[in-house]
Amino acid sequence: MRKKLIFPAIALLGLLLLFNSCKKEYETIQSIDEAKIQAYIKQNNLTMTKDPAGFYYQVLNQGTGAPLLNKDSVFYSLAIKSLSGTSYYNTATYSTEGTYLGYLSPEAYRIALTGVNRGGKVRVILPSYLAYGKNGTATVPSNEVILSEITVSPYGKIWEIDDQNINNFLTAKGLTAVKNPSRVYTIMNFVGTGDAISSTASTITVNYTGRLLNGTIFDQNNGLTSQLNLLIPGWQKTLVGLKQGTKIRFFVPSDLAYGATGSRNQTTGSYIVPPNSALDFDIEITGVTN
């Protein structure tokens, strides 16, 4: 009787060994990502905190402003890359991103920034299963571990950031502009001698070019005719009192332009003017009807 049990026992042992070897061959994505992250941290001699969810974060600069709370608006620039250094995304120059800290997504960013002060900076490493997953994106490969650096603006109001961006632009381009009480910066290129625009109810005809501060032209028109009060607030606050024939360049903070919503192409849905964008206009006033 005992001899008859030997073969089945050996077969069962073989199956167990085969099962165990198969388990070793198929590592989970969690363990693969963890190994990549640990190797990166060791190679770069980093000190990072691991959150129970599986991501890592590090405060690079605590900042000197007020501590960030979930109810606060937070404005920041974002850089996203792979652990090998391939860049996938950077906030555009002279642009900013923003939301309430409590709404910031992914959650890892919010957790990393909680307790950091305005002006601070954090680094976050997201395992692939918390980032773009096995599908990736058009630019991010499948199962890619993502490294993000988030730099928080020292300012808590978007108009303060716009003012800084406009001043940085003027300095970089060697331009001198006058800041008016509405926070629009103006450069008068030619003073006209025709009828003055008496109010926002006036109808004007203009030639104009509109640019983002990075130089991208988002709109231009020769011979646009419109009642002034139908145009963006930055135009209304700048053009009243100017005369026909005037040529002016002016820089509009985002809250007097397209604000936090920006402006989209109605067909494609892509942004023409990104959210929170200060704008640069060249305008020639060719007609005034009061």
Side-chain angles (χ1 to χ4, degrees), residues 13 21 24 31 50 57 60 66 75 113 116 123-124 131 143 174 226 230 233 235 248:
L13 178 61
S21 66
K24 291 179 182 178
S31 63
K50 184 178 182 180
Y57 65 95
L60 301 176
F75 299 101
L113 286 175
V116 173
R123 174 186 289 134
V124 178
N143 297 324
S226 174
L230 298 179
W235 281 38
I248 185 173

mmCIF file with all atom_site columns, all heavy atoms in Angstrom, residues 13 21 24 31 50 57 60 66 75 113 116 123-124 131 143 174 226 230 233 235 248:
data_model
loop_
_atom_site.group_PDB
_atom_site.id
_atom_site.type_symbol
_atom_site.label_atom_id
_atom_site.label_alt_id
_atom_site.label_comp_id
_atom_site.label_asym_id
_atom_site.label_entity_id
_atom_site.label_seq_id
_atom_site.pdbx_PDB_ins_code
_atom_site.Cartn_x
_atom_site.Cartn_y
_atom_site.Cartn_z
_atom_site.occupancy
_atom_site.B_iso_or_equiv
_atom_site.pdbx_formal_charge
_atom_site.auth_seq_id
_atom_site.auth_comp_id
_atom_site.auth_asym_id
_atom_site.auth_atom_id
_atom_site.pdbx_PDB_model_num
ATOM 1   N N   . LEU A 1 13  ? 4.672   16.894  -5.484  1.00 0.00 ? 13  LEU A N   1
ATOM 2   C CA  . LEU A 1 13  ? 5.824   17.734  -5.150  1.00 0.00 ? 13  LEU A CA  1
ATOM 3   C C   . LEU A 1 13  ? 6.322   18.489  -6.379  1.00 0.00 ? 13  LEU A C   1
ATOM 4   O O   . LEU A 1 13  ? 6.657   19.673  -6.331  1.00 0.00 ? 13  LEU A O   1
ATOM 5   C CB  . LEU A 1 13  ? 6.941   16.862  -4.560  1.00 0.00 ? 13  LEU A CB  1
ATOM 6   C CG  . LEU A 1 13  ? 8.246   17.584  -4.191  1.00 0.00 ? 13  LEU A CG  1
ATOM 7   C CD1 . LEU A 1 13  ? 7.979   18.647  -3.119  1.00 0.00 ? 13  LEU A CD1 1
ATOM 8   C CD2 . LEU A 1 13  ? 9.287   16.594  -3.695  1.00 0.00 ? 13  LEU A CD2 1
ATOM 9   N N   . SER A 1 21  ? 7.921   28.160  -9.012  1.00 0.00 ? 21  SER A N   1
ATOM 10  C CA  . SER A 1 21  ? 8.833   28.765  -9.986  1.00 0.00 ? 21  SER A CA  1
ATOM 11  C C   . SER A 1 21  ? 8.082   29.710  -10.912 1.00 0.00 ? 21  SER A C   1
ATOM 12  O O   . SER A 1 21  ? 8.578   30.747  -11.312 1.00 0.00 ? 21  SER A O   1
ATOM 13  C CB  . SER A 1 21  ? 9.550   27.680  -10.796 1.00 0.00 ? 21  SER A CB  1
ATOM 14  O OG  . SER A 1 21  ? 8.622   26.978  -11.601 1.00 0.00 ? 21  SER A OG  1
ATOM 15  N N   . LYS A 1 24  ? 7.550   33.123  -9.357  1.00 0.00 ? 24  LYS A N   1
ATOM 16  C CA  . LYS A 1 24  ? 8.741   33.969  -9.367  1.00 0.00 ? 24  LYS A CA  1
ATOM 17  C C   . LYS A 1 24  ? 8.940   34.620  -10.726 1.00 0.00 ? 24  LYS A C   1
ATOM 18  O O   . LYS A 1 24  ? 9.474   35.702  -10.833 1.00 0.00 ? 24  LYS A O   1
ATOM 19  C CB  . LYS A 1 24  ? 9.964   33.131  -8.994  1.00 0.00 ? 24  LYS A CB  1
ATOM 20  C CG  . LYS A 1 24  ? 9.956   32.675  -7.531  1.00 0.00 ? 24  LYS A CG  1
ATOM 21  C CD  . LYS A 1 24  ? 11.164  31.836  -7.212  1.00 0.00 ? 24  LYS A CD  1
ATOM 22  C CE  . LYS A 1 24  ? 11.146  31.346  -5.766  1.00 0.00 ? 24  LYS A CE  1
ATOM 23  N NZ  . LYS A 1 24  ? 12.297  30.488  -5.446  1.00 0.00 ? 24  LYS A NZ  1
ATOM 24  N N   . SER A 1 31  ? 5.923   45.429  -7.686  1.00 0.00 ? 31  SER A N   1
ATOM 25  C CA  . SER A 1 31  ? 7.282   45.081  -7.275  1.00 0.00 ? 31  SER A CA  1
ATOM 26  C C   . SER A 1 31  ? 8.312   45.549  -8.291  1.00 0.00 ? 31  SER A C   1
ATOM 27  O O   . SER A 1 31  ? 9.426   45.967  -7.930  1.00 0.00 ? 31  SER A O   1
ATOM 28  C CB  . SER A 1 31  ? 7.406   43.568  -7.049  1.00 0.00 ? 31  SER A CB  1
ATOM 29  O OG  . SER A 1 31  ? 7.167   42.861  -8.259  1.00 0.00 ? 31  SER A OG  1
ATOM 30  N N   . LYS A 1 50  ? 8.051   57.512  1.772   1.00 0.00 ? 50  LYS A N   1
ATOM 31  C CA  . LYS A 1 50  ? 7.121   56.664  1.050   1.00 0.00 ? 50  LYS A CA  1
ATOM 32  C C   . LYS A 1 50  ? 5.736   56.765  1.678   1.00 0.00 ? 50  LYS A C   1
ATOM 33  O O   . LYS A 1 50  ? 5.563   56.556  2.876   1.00 0.00 ? 50  LYS A O   1
ATOM 34  C CB  . LYS A 1 50  ? 7.578   55.208  1.049   1.00 0.00 ? 50  LYS A CB  1
ATOM 35  C CG  . LYS A 1 50  ? 6.668   54.303  0.220   1.00 0.00 ? 50  LYS A CG  1
ATOM 36  C CD  . LYS A 1 50  ? 7.151   52.866  0.174   1.00 0.00 ? 50  LYS A CD  1
ATOM 37  C CE  . LYS A 1 50  ? 6.229   52.018  -0.719  1.00 0.00 ? 50  LYS A CE  1
ATOM 38  N NZ  . LYS A 1 50  ? 6.662   50.604  -0.787  1.00 0.00 ? 50  LYS A NZ  1
ATOM 39  N N   . TYR A 1 57  ? 7.810   61.000  -2.008  1.00 0.00 ? 57  TYR A N   1
ATOM 40  C CA  . TYR A 1 57  ? 7.905   62.456  -2.154  1.00 0.00 ? 57  TYR A CA  1
ATOM 41  C C   . TYR A 1 57  ? 9.018   63.010  -1.272  1.00 0.00 ? 57  TYR A C   1
ATOM 42  O O   . TYR A 1 57  ? 9.442   62.393  -0.288  1.00 0.00 ? 57  TYR A O   1
ATOM 43  C CB  . TYR A 1 57  ? 6.576   63.138  -1.856  1.00 0.00 ? 57  TYR A CB  1
ATOM 44  C CG  . TYR A 1 57  ? 6.081   63.014  -0.433  1.00 0.00 ? 57  TYR A CG  1
ATOM 45  C CD1 . TYR A 1 57  ? 6.339   64.002  0.522   1.00 0.00 ? 57  TYR A CD1 1
ATOM 46  C CD2 . TYR A 1 57  ? 5.336   61.905  -0.024  1.00 0.00 ? 57  TYR A CD2 1
ATOM 47  C CE1 . TYR A 1 57  ? 5.872   63.894  1.820   1.00 0.00 ? 57  TYR A CE1 1
ATOM 48  C CE2 . TYR A 1 57  ? 4.874   61.780  1.276   1.00 0.00 ? 57  TYR A CE2 1
ATOM 49  C CZ  . TYR A 1 57  ? 5.141   62.777  2.188   1.00 0.00 ? 57  TYR A CZ  1
ATOM 50  O OH  . TYR A 1 57  ? 4.689   62.670  3.474   1.00 0.00 ? 57  TYR A OH  1
ATOM 51  N N   . LEU A 1 60  ? 11.908  69.730  -1.440  1.00 0.00 ? 60  LEU A N   1
ATOM 52  C CA  . LEU A 1 60  ? 13.185  70.285  -1.893  1.00 0.00 ? 60  LEU A CA  1
ATOM 53  C C   . LEU A 1 60  ? 13.411  71.687  -1.347  1.00 0.00 ? 60  LEU A C   1
ATOM 54  O O   . LEU A 1 60  ? 14.537  72.114  -1.164  1.00 0.00 ? 60  LEU A O   1
ATOM 55  C CB  . LEU A 1 60  ? 13.222  70.313  -3.427  1.00 0.00 ? 60  LEU A CB  1
ATOM 56  C CG  . LEU A 1 60  ? 13.058  68.958  -4.118  1.00 0.00 ? 60  LEU A CG  1
ATOM 57  C CD1 . LEU A 1 60  ? 13.011  69.145  -5.628  1.00 0.00 ? 60  LEU A CD1 1
ATOM 58  C CD2 . LEU A 1 60  ? 14.182  68.018  -3.723  1.00 0.00 ? 60  LEU A CD2 1
ATOM 59  N N   . ALA A 1 66  ? 3.281   81.733  3.458   1.00 0.00 ? 66  ALA A N   1
ATOM 60  C CA  . ALA A 1 66  ? 2.316   81.104  4.365   1.00 0.00 ? 66  ALA A CA  1
ATOM 61  C C   . ALA A 1 66  ? 2.176   79.619  4.042   1.00 0.00 ? 66  ALA A C   1
ATOM 62  O O   . ALA A 1 66  ? 2.303   79.206  2.890   1.00 0.00 ? 66  ALA A O   1
ATOM 63  C CB  . ALA A 1 66  ? 0.962   81.796  4.233   1.00 0.00 ? 66  ALA A CB  1
ATOM 64  N N   . PHE A 1 75  ? -0.816  78.177  -6.890  1.00 0.00 ? 75  PHE A N   1
ATOM 65  C CA  . PHE A 1 75  ? -0.352  78.372  -8.257  1.00 0.00 ? 75  PHE A CA  1
ATOM 66  C C   . PHE A 1 75  ? 1.063   77.798  -8.346  1.00 0.00 ? 75  PHE A C   1
ATOM 67  O O   . PHE A 1 75  ? 1.881   78.004  -7.450  1.00 0.00 ? 75  PHE A O   1
ATOM 68  C CB  . PHE A 1 75  ? -0.367  79.850  -8.622  1.00 0.00 ? 75  PHE A CB  1
ATOM 69  C CG  . PHE A 1 75  ? -1.749  80.446  -8.538  1.00 0.00 ? 75  PHE A CG  1
ATOM 70  C CD1 . PHE A 1 75  ? -2.133  81.200  -7.441  1.00 0.00 ? 75  PHE A CD1 1
ATOM 71  C CD2 . PHE A 1 75  ? -2.676  80.219  -9.537  1.00 0.00 ? 75  PHE A CD2 1
ATOM 72  C CE1 . PHE A 1 75  ? -3.408  81.728  -7.345  1.00 0.00 ? 75  PHE A CE1 1
ATOM 73  C CE2 . PHE A 1 75  ? -3.961  80.743  -9.455  1.00 0.00 ? 75  PHE A CE2 1
ATOM 74  C CZ  . PHE A 1 75  ? -4.327  81.501  -8.356  1.00 0.00 ? 75  PHE A CZ  1
ATOM 75  N N   . LEU A 1 113 ? 2.395   68.415  -1.096  1.00 0.00 ? 113 LEU A N   1
ATOM 76  C CA  . LEU A 1 113 ? 2.420   69.868  -0.877  1.00 0.00 ? 113 LEU A CA  1
ATOM 77  C C   . LEU A 1 113 ? 1.784   70.288  0.451   1.00 0.00 ? 113 LEU A C   1
ATOM 78  O O   . LEU A 1 113 ? 1.984   71.425  0.889   1.00 0.00 ? 113 LEU A O   1
ATOM 79  C CB  . LEU A 1 113 ? 1.689   70.582  -2.015  1.00 0.00 ? 113 LEU A CB  1
ATOM 80  C CG  . LEU A 1 113 ? 2.425   70.638  -3.358  1.00 0.00 ? 113 LEU A CG  1
ATOM 81  C CD1 . LEU A 1 113 ? 1.536   71.254  -4.428  1.00 0.00 ? 113 LEU A CD1 1
ATOM 82  C CD2 . LEU A 1 113 ? 3.729   71.409  -3.234  1.00 0.00 ? 113 LEU A CD2 1
ATOM 83  N N   . VAL A 1 116 ? 3.682   72.413  3.045   1.00 0.00 ? 116 VAL A N   1
ATOM 84  C CA  . VAL A 1 116 ? 4.727   73.215  2.400   1.00 0.00 ? 116 VAL A CA  1
ATOM 85  C C   . VAL A 1 116 ? 4.246   74.661  2.341   1.00 0.00 ? 116 VAL A C   1
ATOM 86  O O   . VAL A 1 116 ? 3.053   74.934  2.264   1.00 0.00 ? 116 VAL A O   1
ATOM 87  C CB  . VAL A 1 116 ? 5.025   72.664  0.991   1.00 0.00 ? 116 VAL A CB  1
ATOM 88  C CG1 . VAL A 1 116 ? 5.974   73.585  0.223   1.00 0.00 ? 116 VAL A CG1 1
ATOM 89  C CG2 . VAL A 1 116 ? 5.614   71.265  1.089   1.00 0.00 ? 116 VAL A CG2 1
ATOM 90  N N   . ARG A 1 123 ? 9.396   67.164  -4.846  1.00 0.00 ? 123 ARG A N   1
ATOM 91  C CA  . ARG A 1 123 ? 9.635   66.127  -5.859  1.00 0.00 ? 123 ARG A CA  1
ATOM 92  C C   . ARG A 1 123 ? 8.734   64.944  -5.527  1.00 0.00 ? 123 ARG A C   1
ATOM 93  O O   . ARG A 1 123 ? 8.630   64.554  -4.353  1.00 0.00 ? 123 ARG A O   1
ATOM 94  C CB  . ARG A 1 123 ? 11.097  65.701  -5.855  1.00 0.00 ? 123 ARG A CB  1
ATOM 95  C CG  . ARG A 1 123 ? 11.411  64.522  -6.780  1.00 0.00 ? 123 ARG A CG  1
ATOM 96  C CD  . ARG A 1 123 ? 12.852  64.068  -6.595  1.00 0.00 ? 123 ARG A CD  1
ATOM 97  N NE  . ARG A 1 123 ? 13.784  65.043  -7.135  1.00 0.00 ? 123 ARG A NE  1
ATOM 98  C CZ  . ARG A 1 123 ? 14.879  65.461  -6.506  1.00 0.00 ? 123 ARG A CZ  1
ATOM 99  N NH1 . ARG A 1 123 ? 15.152  65.027  -5.274  1.00 0.00 ? 123 ARG A NH1 1
ATOM 100 N NH2 . ARG A 1 123 ? 15.686  66.334  -7.083  1.00 0.00 ? 123 ARG A NH2 1
ATOM 101 N N   . VAL A 1 124 ? 8.069   64.380  -6.536  1.00 0.00 ? 124 VAL A N   1
ATOM 102 C CA  . VAL A 1 124 ? 7.180   63.239  -6.338  1.00 0.00 ? 124 VAL A CA  1
ATOM 103 C C   . VAL A 1 124 ? 7.533   62.160  -7.357  1.00 0.00 ? 124 VAL A C   1
ATOM 104 O O   . VAL A 1 124 ? 7.686   62.453  -8.547  1.00 0.00 ? 124 VAL A O   1
ATOM 105 C CB  . VAL A 1 124 ? 5.698   63.642  -6.515  1.00 0.00 ? 124 VAL A CB  1
ATOM 106 C CG1 . VAL A 1 124 ? 4.790   62.424  -6.345  1.00 0.00 ? 124 VAL A CG1 1
ATOM 107 C CG2 . VAL A 1 124 ? 5.307   64.735  -5.531  1.00 0.00 ? 124 VAL A CG2 1
ATOM 108 N N   . ALA A 1 131 ? 0.292   56.373  -12.082 1.00 0.00 ? 131 ALA A N   1
ATOM 109 C CA  . ALA A 1 131 ? 0.511   57.426  -13.079 1.00 0.00 ? 131 ALA A CA  1
ATOM 110 C C   . ALA A 1 131 ? -0.322  57.120  -14.336 1.00 0.00 ? 131 ALA A C   1
ATOM 111 O O   . ALA A 1 131 ? -1.540  57.206  -14.311 1.00 0.00 ? 131 ALA A O   1
ATOM 112 C CB  . ALA A 1 131 ? 1.999   57.537  -13.392 1.00 0.00 ? 131 ALA A CB  1
ATOM 113 N N   . ASN A 1 143 ? 3.653   51.533  -18.588 1.00 0.00 ? 143 ASN A N   1
ATOM 114 C CA  . ASN A 1 143 ? 4.290   51.164  -17.310 1.00 0.00 ? 143 ASN A CA  1
ATOM 115 C C   . ASN A 1 143 ? 5.517   52.027  -16.994 1.00 0.00 ? 143 ASN A C   1
ATOM 116 O O   . ASN A 1 143 ? 6.540   51.518  -16.529 1.00 0.00 ? 143 ASN A O   1
ATOM 117 C CB  . ASN A 1 143 ? 4.677   49.683  -17.313 1.00 0.00 ? 143 ASN A CB  1
ATOM 118 C CG  . ASN A 1 143 ? 3.476   48.769  -17.438 1.00 0.00 ? 143 ASN A CG  1
ATOM 119 O OD1 . ASN A 1 143 ? 2.415   49.051  -16.894 1.00 0.00 ? 143 ASN A OD1 1
ATOM 120 N ND2 . ASN A 1 143 ? 3.627   47.661  -18.161 1.00 0.00 ? 143 ASN A ND2 1
ATOM 121 N N   . GLY A 1 174 ? 13.973  94.009  -22.943 1.00 0.00 ? 174 GLY A N   1
ATOM 122 C CA  . GLY A 1 174 ? 14.518  95.359  -22.899 1.00 0.00 ? 174 GLY A CA  1
ATOM 123 C C   . GLY A 1 174 ? 13.481  96.427  -23.196 1.00 0.00 ? 174 GLY A C   1
ATOM 124 O O   . GLY A 1 174 ? 13.804  97.472  -23.781 1.00 0.00 ? 174 GLY A O   1
ATOM 125 N N   . SER A 1 226 ? -16.090 96.764  -33.607 1.00 0.00 ? 226 SER A N   1
ATOM 126 C CA  . SER A 1 226 ? -16.884 96.245  -32.496 1.00 0.00 ? 226 SER A CA  1
ATOM 127 C C   . SER A 1 226 ? -17.158 97.360  -31.502 1.00 0.00 ? 226 SER A C   1
ATOM 128 O O   . SER A 1 226 ? -16.394 98.328  -31.385 1.00 0.00 ? 226 SER A O   1
ATOM 129 C CB  . SER A 1 226 ? -16.138 95.115  -31.779 1.00 0.00 ? 226 SER A CB  1
ATOM 130 O OG  . SER A 1 226 ? -16.818 94.692  -30.616 1.00 0.00 ? 226 SER A OG  1
ATOM 131 N N   . LEU A 1 230 ? -17.946 95.029  -25.733 1.00 0.00 ? 230 LEU A N   1
ATOM 132 C CA  . LEU A 1 230 ? -18.088 93.612  -26.084 1.00 0.00 ? 230 LEU A CA  1
ATOM 133 C C   . LEU A 1 230 ? -16.743 92.895  -26.105 1.00 0.00 ? 230 LEU A C   1
ATOM 134 O O   . LEU A 1 230 ? -16.690 91.683  -26.327 1.00 0.00 ? 230 LEU A O   1
ATOM 135 C CB  . LEU A 1 230 ? -18.767 93.477  -27.458 1.00 0.00 ? 230 LEU A CB  1
ATOM 136 C CG  . LEU A 1 230 ? -20.181 94.043  -27.568 1.00 0.00 ? 230 LEU A CG  1
ATOM 137 C CD1 . LEU A 1 230 ? -20.700 93.861  -28.994 1.00 0.00 ? 230 LEU A CD1 1
ATOM 138 C CD2 . LEU A 1 230 ? -21.117 93.357  -26.573 1.00 0.00 ? 230 LEU A CD2 1
ATOM 139 N N   . PRO A 1 233 ? -12.037 92.941  -20.869 1.00 0.00 ? 233 PRO A N   1
ATOM 140 C CA  . PRO A 1 233 ? -11.886 94.091  -19.960 1.00 0.00 ? 233 PRO A CA  1
ATOM 141 C C   . PRO A 1 233 ? -10.569 94.837  -20.128 1.00 0.00 ? 233 PRO A C   1
ATOM 142 O O   . PRO A 1 233 ? -10.533 96.064  -19.965 1.00 0.00 ? 233 PRO A O   1
ATOM 143 C CB  . PRO A 1 233 ? -11.988 93.450  -18.572 1.00 0.00 ? 233 PRO A CB  1
ATOM 144 C CG  . PRO A 1 233 ? -12.810 92.222  -18.780 1.00 0.00 ? 233 PRO A CG  1
ATOM 145 C CD  . PRO A 1 233 ? -12.433 91.720  -20.140 1.00 0.00 ? 233 PRO A CD  1
ATOM 146 N N   . TRP A 1 235 ? -8.963  95.566  -22.794 1.00 0.00 ? 235 TRP A N   1
ATOM 147 C CA  . TRP A 1 235 ? -9.111  96.557  -23.859 1.00 0.00 ? 235 TRP A CA  1
ATOM 148 C C   . TRP A 1 235 ? -9.951  97.738  -23.382 1.00 0.00 ? 235 TRP A C   1
ATOM 149 O O   . TRP A 1 235 ? -9.616  98.899  -23.639 1.00 0.00 ? 235 TRP A O   1
ATOM 150 C CB  . TRP A 1 235 ? -9.790  95.916  -25.077 1.00 0.00 ? 235 TRP A CB  1
ATOM 151 C CG  . TRP A 1 235 ? -8.889  95.084  -25.933 1.00 0.00 ? 235 TRP A CG  1
ATOM 152 C CD1 . TRP A 1 235 ? -7.890  94.257  -25.517 1.00 0.00 ? 235 TRP A CD1 1
ATOM 153 C CD2 . TRP A 1 235 ? -8.917  94.999  -27.358 1.00 0.00 ? 235 TRP A CD2 1
ATOM 154 N NE1 . TRP A 1 235 ? -7.292  93.651  -26.580 1.00 0.00 ? 235 TRP A NE1 1
ATOM 155 C CE2 . TRP A 1 235 ? -7.905  94.084  -27.732 1.00 0.00 ? 235 TRP A CE2 1
ATOM 156 C CE3 . TRP A 1 235 ? -9.710  95.581  -28.338 1.00 0.00 ? 235 TRP A CE3 1
ATOM 157 C CZ2 . TRP A 1 235 ? -7.655  93.749  -29.061 1.00 0.00 ? 235 TRP A CZ2 1
ATOM 158 C CZ3 . TRP A 1 235 ? -9.466  95.248  -29.676 1.00 0.00 ? 235 TRP A CZ3 1
ATOM 159 C CH2 . TRP A 1 235 ? -8.446  94.347  -30.031 1.00 0.00 ? 235 TRP A CH2 1
ATOM 160 N N   . ILE A 1 248 ? -0.586  101.457 -30.205 1.00 0.00 ? 248 ILE A N   1
ATOM 161 C CA  . ILE A 1 248 ? -0.213  101.163 -28.825 1.00 0.00 ? 248 ILE A CA  1
ATOM 162 C C   . ILE A 1 248 ? 0.056   99.667  -28.660 1.00 0.00 ? 248 ILE A C   1
ATOM 163 O O   . ILE A 1 248 ? -0.583  98.829  -29.305 1.00 0.00 ? 248 ILE A O   1
ATOM 164 C CB  . ILE A 1 248 ? -1.329  101.619 -27.851 1.00 0.00 ? 248 ILE A CB  1
ATOM 165 C CG1 . ILE A 1 248 ? -0.899  101.426 -26.390 1.00 0.00 ? 248 ILE A CG1 1
ATOM 166 C CG2 . ILE A 1 248 ? -2.648  100.908 -28.142 1.00 0.00 ? 248 ILE A CG2 1
ATOM 167 C CD1 . ILE A 1 248 ? -1.887  102.004 -25.386 1.00 0.00 ? 248 ILE A CD1 1
#
